[in-house]
Amino acid sequence: MAEAAKDPRIAAALAATERMDPAILAHDEAGFSAVFTDDAVVNNPFNRIARKKDAIHNLKTGLIDYATLDRRIEYAAARGPHDGC
């Protein structure tokens, strides 16, 4: 993982995750929203895919409501070219 984190794209994704988790726990809608690009798609706790607006809605309405959060990233890699990154 340390070697992968030398890639600026992976480092940025890992840094975003480090900002996301405290925002989730604090119910910080603005901080949570700032982590995502407008076209982001994520897996949610309901085993479904959610777009940014849906993920923010789930946090805002309390559907995402964690007392604790333990994230373990076991693997990170870039896939293909990403222009503008």
Side-chain angles (χ1 to χ4, degrees), residues 22-39:
I24 291 170
L25 293 173
H27 299 92
D28 176 3
E29 183 182 336
F32 184 70
S33 176
V35 173
F36 296 103
T37 61
D38 288 337
D39 61 349

Side-chain angles (χ1 to χ4, degrees), residues 9 78-85:
R9 295 178 291 167
R79 291 179 26 181
H82 297 281
D83 294 336
C85 292

Side-chain angles (χ1 to χ4, degrees), residues 26 31 34 50 62 64-65 76:
I64 297 175
D65 186 16

Side-chain angles (χ1 to χ4, degrees), residues 41-85:
V41 178
V42 297
N43 293 325
N44 68 24
F46 314 109
N47 200 27
R48 295 196 174 149
I49 301 298
R51 300 202 180 278
K52 178 180 179 175
K53 68 179 179 84
D54 300 319
I56 294 167
H57 174 78
N58 291 343
L59 182 70
K60 184 177 183 177
T61 61
L63 289 173
I64 297 175
D65 186 16
Y66 295 109
T68 63
L69 179 59
D70 181 24
R71 182 184 307 269
R72 293 183 192 138
I73 300 173
E74 297 177 3
Y75 177 79
R79 291 179 26 181
H82 297 281
D83 294 336
C85 292

Side-chain angles (χ1 to χ4, degrees), residues 2-15:
E3 188 65 30
K6 292 178 182 176
D7 181 313
R9 295 178 291 167
I10 295 172
L14 294 171

